[in-house]
PDB file of all heavy atoms in Angstrom:
ATOM      1  N   GLU A 253      22.960   1.148   4.782  1.00  0.00           N
ATOM      2  CA  GLU A 253      23.494   0.171   3.755  1.00  0.00           C
ATOM      3  C   GLU A 253      23.190   0.622   2.326  1.00  0.00           C
ATOM      4  O   GLU A 253      24.047   0.655   1.499  1.00  0.00           O
ATOM      5  CB  GLU A 253      22.766  -1.138   4.053  1.00  0.00           C
ATOM      6  CG  GLU A 253      23.508  -2.438   3.673  1.00  0.00           C
ATOM      7  CD  GLU A 253      22.655  -3.591   4.046  1.00  0.00           C
ATOM      8  OE1 GLU A 253      22.697  -4.043   5.264  1.00  0.00           O
ATOM      9  OE2 GLU A 253      22.033  -4.163   3.156  1.00  0.00           O
ATOM     10  N   TRP A 254      22.007   1.105   2.118  1.00  0.00           N
ATOM     11  CA  TRP A 254      21.569   1.504   0.845  1.00  0.00           C
ATOM     12  C   TRP A 254      22.350   2.816   0.416  1.00  0.00           C
ATOM     13  O   TRP A 254      22.708   2.906  -0.817  1.00  0.00           O
ATOM     14  CB  TRP A 254      20.094   1.800   0.741  1.00  0.00           C
ATOM     15  CG  TRP A 254      19.242   0.610   1.003  1.00  0.00           C
ATOM     16  CD1 TRP A 254      19.603  -0.689   0.828  1.00  0.00           C
ATOM     17  CD2 TRP A 254      17.858   0.495   1.279  1.00  0.00           C
ATOM     18  NE1 TRP A 254      18.568  -1.536   1.159  1.00  0.00           N
ATOM     19  CE2 TRP A 254      17.428  -0.780   1.403  1.00  0.00           C
ATOM     20  CE3 TRP A 254      16.832   1.514   1.582  1.00  0.00           C
ATOM     21  CZ2 TRP A 254      16.189  -1.190   1.714  1.00  0.00           C
ATOM     22  CZ3 TRP A 254      15.578   1.119   1.903  1.00  0.00           C
ATOM     23  CH2 TRP A 254      15.230  -0.254   1.998  1.00  0.00           C
ATOM     24  N   LYS A 255      22.502   3.695   1.394  1.00  0.00           N
ATOM     25  CA  LYS A 255      23.261   4.948   1.002  1.00  0.00           C
ATOM     26  C   LYS A 255      24.709   4.606   0.658  1.00  0.00           C
ATOM     27  O   LYS A 255      25.229   5.019  -0.334  1.00  0.00           O
ATOM     28  CB  LYS A 255      23.201   5.866   2.211  1.00  0.00           C
ATOM     29  CG  LYS A 255      23.772   7.258   1.868  1.00  0.00           C
ATOM     30  CD  LYS A 255      23.217   8.292   2.684  1.00  0.00           C
ATOM     31  CE  LYS A 255      23.752   9.591   2.222  1.00  0.00           C
ATOM     32  NZ  LYS A 255      24.455  10.411   3.272  1.00  0.00           N
ATOM     33  N   ASP A 256      25.324   3.755   1.432  1.00  0.00           N
ATOM     34  CA  ASP A 256      26.699   3.321   1.086  1.00  0.00           C
ATOM     35  C   ASP A 256      26.754   2.633  -0.202  1.00  0.00           C
ATOM     36  O   ASP A 256      27.772   2.674  -0.910  1.00  0.00           O
ATOM     37  CB  ASP A 256      27.202   2.376   2.186  1.00  0.00           C
ATOM     38  CG  ASP A 256      27.376   3.041   3.527  1.00  0.00           C
ATOM     39  OD1 ASP A 256      27.344   4.290   3.523  1.00  0.00           O
ATOM     40  OD2 ASP A 256      27.506   2.371   4.556  1.00  0.00           O
ATOM     41  N   ALA A 257      25.657   2.005  -0.683  1.00  0.00           N
ATOM     42  CA  ALA A 257      25.710   1.295  -1.913  1.00  0.00           C
ATOM     43  C   ALA A 257      25.380   2.248  -3.117  1.00  0.00           C
ATOM     44  O   ALA A 257      25.320   1.870  -4.219  1.00  0.00           O
ATOM     45  CB  ALA A 257      24.699   0.117  -1.915  1.00  0.00           C
ATOM     46  N   GLY A 258      25.168   3.489  -2.773  1.00  0.00           N
ATOM     47  CA  GLY A 258      24.918   4.501  -3.759  1.00  0.00           C
ATOM     48  C   GLY A 258      23.488   4.618  -4.202  1.00  0.00           C
ATOM     49  O   GLY A 258      23.218   5.261  -5.301  1.00  0.00           O
ATOM     50  N   LEU A 259      22.517   4.095  -3.485  1.00  0.00           N
ATOM     51  CA  LEU A 259      21.156   4.207  -3.758  1.00  0.00           C
ATOM     52  C   LEU A 259      20.661   5.712  -3.587  1.00  0.00           C
ATOM     53  O   LEU A 259      21.217   6.395  -2.749  1.00  0.00           O
ATOM     54  CB  LEU A 259      20.188   3.255  -3.076  1.00  0.00           C
ATOM     55  CG  LEU A 259      20.386   1.808  -3.278  1.00  0.00           C
ATOM     56  CD1 LEU A 259      19.246   0.986  -2.623  1.00  0.00           C
ATOM     57  CD2 LEU A 259      20.529   1.457  -4.768  1.00  0.00           C
ATOM     58  N   ARG A 260      19.531   6.124  -4.262  1.00  0.00           N
ATOM     59  CA  ARG A 260      19.112   7.454  -4.113  1.00  0.00           C
ATOM     60  C   ARG A 260      17.607   7.550  -3.759  1.00  0.00           C
ATOM     61  O   ARG A 260      17.220   8.650  -3.212  1.00  0.00           O
ATOM     62  CB  ARG A 260      19.319   8.169  -5.413  1.00  0.00           C
ATOM     63  CG  ARG A 260      19.110   9.630  -5.345  1.00  0.00           C
ATOM     64  CD  ARG A 260      19.483  10.416  -6.609  1.00  0.00           C
ATOM     65  NE  ARG A 260      18.884  11.732  -6.506  1.00  0.00           N
ATOM     66  CZ  ARG A 260      18.613  12.533  -7.551  1.00  0.00           C
ATOM     67  NH1 ARG A 260      18.858  12.063  -8.761  1.00  0.00           N
ATOM     68  NH2 ARG A 260      18.039  13.705  -7.405  1.00  0.00           N
ATOM     69  N   TRP A 261      16.865   6.533  -3.923  1.00  0.00           N
ATOM     70  CA  TRP A 261      15.419   6.626  -3.724  1.00  0.00           C
ATOM     71  C   TRP A 261      14.892   5.460  -2.863  1.00  0.00           C
ATOM     72  O   TRP A 261      15.318   4.269  -3.068  1.00  0.00           O
ATOM     73  CB  TRP A 261      14.601   6.598  -5.012  1.00  0.00           C
ATOM     74  CG  TRP A 261      15.150   7.653  -6.004  1.00  0.00           C
ATOM     75  CD1 TRP A 261      15.883   7.343  -7.134  1.00  0.00           C
ATOM     76  CD2 TRP A 261      14.882   9.018  -6.023  1.00  0.00           C
ATOM     77  NE1 TRP A 261      16.197   8.535  -7.794  1.00  0.00           N
ATOM     78  CE2 TRP A 261      15.598   9.617  -7.176  1.00  0.00           C
ATOM     79  CE3 TRP A 261      14.257   9.863  -5.204  1.00  0.00           C
ATOM     80  CZ2 TRP A 261      15.568  10.916  -7.457  1.00  0.00           C
ATOM     81  CZ3 TRP A 261      14.287  11.241  -5.500  1.00  0.00           C
ATOM     82  CH2 TRP A 261      14.966  11.759  -6.562  1.00  0.00           C
ATOM     83  N   VAL A 262      13.883   5.736  -2.088  1.00  0.00           N
ATOM     84  CA  VAL A 262      13.058   4.655  -1.482  1.00  0.00           C
ATOM     85  C   VAL A 262      11.554   4.872  -1.794  1.00  0.00           C
ATOM     86  O   VAL A 262      11.060   5.936  -1.605  1.00  0.00           O
ATOM     87  CB  VAL A 262      13.186   4.760   0.092  1.00  0.00           C
ATOM     88  CG1 VAL A 262      12.598   3.449   0.759  1.00  0.00           C
ATOM     89  CG2 VAL A 262      14.650   4.900   0.531  1.00  0.00           C
ATOM     90  N   LEU A 263      11.088   3.747  -2.374  1.00  0.00           N
ATOM     91  CA  LEU A 263       9.579   3.821  -2.782  1.00  0.00           C
ATOM     92  C   LEU A 263       8.746   3.028  -1.850  1.00  0.00           C
ATOM     93  O   LEU A 263       9.013   1.852  -1.661  1.00  0.00           O
ATOM     94  CB  LEU A 263       9.555   3.385  -4.228  1.00  0.00           C
ATOM     95  CG  LEU A 263       9.980   4.244  -5.344  1.00  0.00           C
ATOM     96  CD1 LEU A 263      11.423   4.012  -5.660  1.00  0.00           C
ATOM     97  CD2 LEU A 263       9.137   4.081  -6.564  1.00  0.00           C
ATOM     98  N   PHE A 264       7.709   3.610  -1.365  1.00  0.00           N
ATOM     99  CA  PHE A 264       6.804   2.855  -0.439  1.00  0.00           C
ATOM    100  C   PHE A 264       5.483   2.632  -1.101  1.00  0.00           C
ATOM    101  O   PHE A 264       4.966   3.477  -1.921  1.00  0.00           O
ATOM    102  CB  PHE A 264       6.521   3.813   0.807  1.00  0.00           C
ATOM    103  CG  PHE A 264       7.688   4.051   1.638  1.00  0.00           C
ATOM    104  CD1 PHE A 264       8.578   5.141   1.311  1.00  0.00           C
ATOM    105  CD2 PHE A 264       8.003   3.306   2.771  1.00  0.00           C
ATOM    106  CE1 PHE A 264       9.625   5.368   2.099  1.00  0.00           C
ATOM    107  CE2 PHE A 264       9.117   3.555   3.557  1.00  0.00           C
ATOM    108  CZ  PHE A 264       9.893   4.562   3.228  1.00  0.00           C
ATOM    109  N   PHE A 265       4.935   1.414  -0.891  1.00  0.00           N
ATOM    110  CA  PHE A 265       3.622   1.182  -1.531  1.00  0.00           C
ATOM    111  C   PHE A 265       2.810   0.112  -0.616  1.00  0.00           C
ATOM    112  O   PHE A 265       3.440  -0.406   0.318  1.00  0.00           O
ATOM    113  CB  PHE A 265       3.757   0.678  -2.935  1.00  0.00           C
ATOM    114  CG  PHE A 265       4.538  -0.541  -3.208  1.00  0.00           C
ATOM    115  CD1 PHE A 265       3.875  -1.789  -3.470  1.00  0.00           C
ATOM    116  CD2 PHE A 265       5.880  -0.568  -3.093  1.00  0.00           C
ATOM    117  CE1 PHE A 265       4.552  -2.985  -3.745  1.00  0.00           C
ATOM    118  CE2 PHE A 265       6.594  -1.767  -3.274  1.00  0.00           C
ATOM    119  CZ  PHE A 265       5.906  -2.948  -3.612  1.00  0.00           C
ATOM    120  N   GLN A 266       1.534   0.081  -0.940  1.00  0.00           N
ATOM    121  CA  GLN A 266       0.742  -0.809  -0.059  1.00  0.00           C
ATOM    122  C   GLN A 266       0.313  -2.099  -0.647  1.00  0.00           C
ATOM    123  O   GLN A 266       0.565  -2.358  -1.845  1.00  0.00           O
ATOM    124  CB  GLN A 266      -0.425  -0.055   0.526  1.00  0.00           C
ATOM    125  CG  GLN A 266      -0.921   1.154  -0.201  1.00  0.00           C
ATOM    126  CD  GLN A 266      -2.190   1.663   0.440  1.00  0.00           C
ATOM    127  OE1 GLN A 266      -2.729   1.115   1.348  1.00  0.00           O
ATOM    128  NE2 GLN A 266      -2.606   2.830  -0.036  1.00  0.00           N
ATOM    129  N   ASP A 267      -0.410  -2.986   0.102  1.00  0.00           N
ATOM    130  CA  ASP A 267      -0.529  -4.326  -0.239  1.00  0.00           C
ATOM    131  C   ASP A 267      -1.454  -4.724  -1.414  1.00  0.00           C
ATOM    132  O   ASP A 267      -1.246  -5.708  -2.068  1.00  0.00           O
ATOM    133  CB  ASP A 267      -0.977  -5.182   1.048  1.00  0.00           C
ATOM    134  CG  ASP A 267      -2.170  -4.537   1.733  1.00  0.00           C
ATOM    135  OD1 ASP A 267      -2.816  -3.703   1.210  1.00  0.00           O
ATOM    136  OD2 ASP A 267      -2.311  -5.036   2.964  1.00  0.00           O
ATOM    137  N   THR A 268      -2.493  -3.903  -1.675  1.00  0.00           N
ATOM    138  CA  THR A 268      -3.403  -4.411  -2.741  1.00  0.00           C
ATOM    139  C   THR A 268      -3.757  -3.372  -3.785  1.00  0.00           C
ATOM    140  O   THR A 268      -4.912  -3.013  -3.927  1.00  0.00           O
ATOM    141  CB  THR A 268      -4.785  -4.815  -2.071  1.00  0.00           C
ATOM    142  OG1 THR A 268      -5.324  -3.734  -1.412  1.00  0.00           O
ATOM    143  CG2 THR A 268      -4.653  -6.043  -1.218  1.00  0.00           C
ATOM    144  N   ASN A 269      -2.784  -2.839  -4.372  1.00  0.00           N
ATOM    145  CA  ASN A 269      -3.027  -1.818  -5.487  1.00  0.00           C
ATOM    146  C   ASN A 269      -2.381  -2.457  -6.737  1.00  0.00           C
ATOM    147  O   ASN A 269      -1.230  -2.172  -6.967  1.00  0.00           O
ATOM    148  CB  ASN A 269      -2.505  -0.445  -5.125  1.00  0.00           C
ATOM    149  CG  ASN A 269      -2.920   0.542  -6.165  1.00  0.00           C
ATOM    150  OD1 ASN A 269      -3.583   0.258  -7.160  1.00  0.00           O
ATOM    151  ND2 ASN A 269      -2.308   1.761  -6.068  1.00  0.00           N
ATOM    152  N   GLY A 270      -3.177  -3.078  -7.510  1.00  0.00           N
ATOM    153  CA  GLY A 270      -2.726  -3.774  -8.753  1.00  0.00           C
ATOM    154  C   GLY A 270      -2.311  -2.805  -9.819  1.00  0.00           C
ATOM    155  O   GLY A 270      -1.751  -3.289 -10.804  1.00  0.00           O
ATOM    156  N   LEU A 271      -2.668  -1.554  -9.761  1.00  0.00           N
ATOM    157  CA  LEU A 271      -2.383  -0.654 -10.795  1.00  0.00           C
ATOM    158  C   LEU A 271      -1.100   0.228 -10.578  1.00  0.00           C
ATOM    159  O   LEU A 271      -0.545   0.805 -11.540  1.00  0.00           O
ATOM    160  CB  LEU A 271      -3.516   0.391 -10.991  1.00  0.00           C
ATOM    161  CG  LEU A 271      -4.811  -0.180 -11.494  1.00  0.00           C
ATOM    162  CD1 LEU A 271      -5.878   0.920 -11.632  1.00  0.00           C
ATOM    163  CD2 LEU A 271      -4.649  -0.927 -12.885  1.00  0.00           C
TER     164      LEU A 271
END
Side-chain angles (χ1 to χ4, degrees):
E253 209 177 278
W254 294 343
K255 188 155 184 234
D256 293 345
L259 295 192
R260 190 174 165 205
W261 308 104
V262 189
L263 285 90
F264 296 84
F265 61 106
Q266 21 176 354
D267 50 15
T268 57
N269 183 6
L271 293 183

